[in-house]
Amino acid sequence: MMKKKPYFLFLFASLLLLLIGFVKSEETFDINVHDTYFIILQNHLYWLFTLLLFFFFIIYLTLDKIRLHLLKMLTKIHIYGTLLLTVGIFFPYDLLFTSSNFLLVDDSQSTNVYRSFCVLFFLIAQVLFIINIFVAIIKKLRN
């Protein structure tokens, strides 16, 4: 009987994001940076995060096959934090906030701040993952 590994959630989430990326084809992701307003097609971001989550799944699978034991707490923080923050980045904010016919930059300021915090904490979770790998390598070299 195979033990359930939490990193298989990355595979499931990447397949789900890939499917959502094909379904939502014309929505945009708007980013306001200083005086520049970036508009990115949202399914491109879905595909980018699909590749990123699948990459994490491959890394965890490889580390498991070479028997490099990561710290369980940091692994769980990385996996669940990454998945929750991905949901935080792509949450359908139009369900919560009413949108006007003409989109103003000031209308989406709270959404942009929330997404910025989600992206910041997402990057912190990735730094924890790198630290976890280095700690595991150091522990394996000492044994």
Side-chain angles (χ1 to χ4, degrees):
M1 183 170 153
M2 186 174 168
K3 249 174 102 174
K4 292 182 182 178
K5 305 284 183 174
Y7 60 82
F8 278 100
L9 289 173
F10 281 140
L11 180 64
F12 175 72
S14 66
L15 293 175
L16 185 66
L17 279 177
L18 183 66
L19 180 67
I20 291 172
F22 283 118
V23 172
K24 293 183 143 201
S25 60
E26 294 191 17
E27 292 187 23
T28 59
F29 188 79
D30 305 330
I31 302 169
N32 182 16
V33 179
H34 297 290
D35 62 344
T36 307
Y37 196 58
F38 297 101
I39 299 174
I40 302 168
L41 202 59
Q42 195 160 357
N43 64 347
H44 291 161
L45 285 177
Y46 282 121
W47 295 338
L48 174 73
F49 273 79
T50 295
L51 291 173
L52 186 66
L53 293 179
F54 187 72
F55 179 68
F56 286 141
F57 169 72
I58 294 297
I59 288 175
Y60 274 110
L61 188 65
T62 305
L63 292 175
D64 194 27
K65 294 299 179 191
I66 64 172
R67 299 185 193 276
L68 186 67
H69 300 290
L70 300 174
L71 298 174
K72 289 183 181 181
M73 182 58 77
L74 286 180
T75 300
K76 287 182 181 180
I77 289 172
H78 175 249
I79 291 172
Y80 296 126
T82 299
L83 293 175
L84 286 174
L85 291 168
T86 302
V87 169
I89 292 170
F90 290 113
F91 185 77
Y93 295 101
D94 53 348
L95 297 176
L96 297 177
F97 305 109
T98 58
S99 60
S100 62
N101 291 338
F102 301 103
L103 181 64
L104 300 174
V105 174
D106 296 337
D107 290 344
S108 61
Q109 182 177 2
S110 61
T111 304
N112 284 339
V113 168
Y114 176 73
R115 282 183 170 167
S116 297
F117 279 121
C118 285
V119 168
L120 177 69
F121 289 130
F122 182 86
L123 293 174
I124 290 171
Q126 306 325 308
V127 170
L128 285 176
F129 176 58
I130 294 169
I131 290 171
N132 194 5
I133 290 175
F134 281 125
V135 167
I137 290 171
I138 290 170
K139 282 174 71 175
K140 189 170 186 174
L141 291 176
R142 284 190 180 178
N143 291 339

